[in-house]
Amino acid sequence: MAFLYNLVQKSASPGSDSTAMWVAFTIFLSYLVGDPLLHQSIGYDILNSTTIYAIWAAYDVVTLLFIAFISAKKTVENLPAKIYIIIGFSVNIFLFLGMYVDLQYGKYIGAWWFWHIYSIGVNLSDIMMIIALVLNKDFLGFAKCFKWILKNKTLSQSRCI
């Protein structure tokens, strides 16, 4: 959805920056490759494996690296969605790895509090990334916090020198 929106927006104003569109396209491809229905259509039932969460975490790591490469020349001021994408994928990676460890090595048989955090966290971070790519604005203040942290880090380093 975010890719189509950015594609239409880019075609409406051809001279505009296309970084958000390419980031959205990368996310679209990542989610397409990790889709269980796609895997099932080629004869592999990925959902019957407990390693699905590790696979999804690996997809997200690779996607995050591609996005870092695509948006390397863009600052948070130019592309506020960048910080939201980094945070969203980091949360997803952490939760996927947590579910993998829980299913592989955990002693719980039924659902417990982490499964609820996983369900809510993955969906909220995905929605946050979609909104960030569509709006490309700092709607939760993450970019402002990032700038504040960088500013204070620079000030504290200059005091030590």
Side-chain angles (χ1 to χ4, degrees):
M1 179 172 85
F3 168 64
L4 293 176
Y5 174 79
N6 281 299
L7 184 64
V8 169
Q9 186 178 15
K10 175 66 179 154
S11 64
S13 55
S16 65
D17 184 31
S18 61
T19 306
M21 180 190 70
W22 289 113
V23 168
F25 182 67
T26 303
I27 294 171
F28 165 73
L29 285 180
S30 171
Y31 282 20
L32 180 67
V33 169
D35 185 25
L37 291 175
L38 179 67
H39 287 263
Q40 193 138 20
S41 69
I42 59 174
Y44 180 67
D45 191 9
I46 198 168
L47 293 177
N48 278 341
S49 171
T50 57
T51 60
I52 182 64
Y53 296 103
I55 293 169
W56 284 340
Y59 284 157
D60 282 358
V61 168
V62 171
T63 304
L64 197 54
L65 291 174
F66 271 114
I67 290 171
F69 176 73
I70 291 169
S71 64
K73 294 181 181 177
K74 296 295 174 187
T75 63
V76 175
E77 291 86 21
N78 296 346
L79 187 67
K82 182 178 180 177
I83 194 77
Y84 288 87
I85 300 301
I86 291 169
I87 291 170
F89 273 108
S90 298
V91 166
N92 282 353
I93 291 166
F94 172 74
L95 291 173
F96 287 146
L97 290 176
M99 283 297 287
Y100 171 73
V101 168
D102 180 48
L103 291 175
Q104 285 294 111
Y105 307 108
K107 295 181 172 86
Y108 294 103
I109 295 174
W112 60 296
W113 65 267
F114 182 72
W115 290 19
H116 300 294
I117 289 175
Y118 165 81
S119 299
I120 293 168
V122 167
N123 289 314
L124 282 179
S125 66
D126 286 346
I127 290 169
M128 178 190 69
M129 289 189 290
I130 291 170
I131 292 170
L133 283 169
V134 169
L135 296 178
N136 198 21
K137 301 211 183 302
D138 187 21
F139 62 96
L140 293 176
F142 290 162
K144 190 182 292 184
C145 289
F146 179 72
K147 287 184 250 180
W148 181 81
I149 290 169
L150 286 180
K151 180 181 144 192
N152 286 339
K153 181 180 176 186
T154 307
L155 286 175
S156 66
Q157 286 178 351
S158 65
R159 289 181 194 155
C160 293
I161 295 176

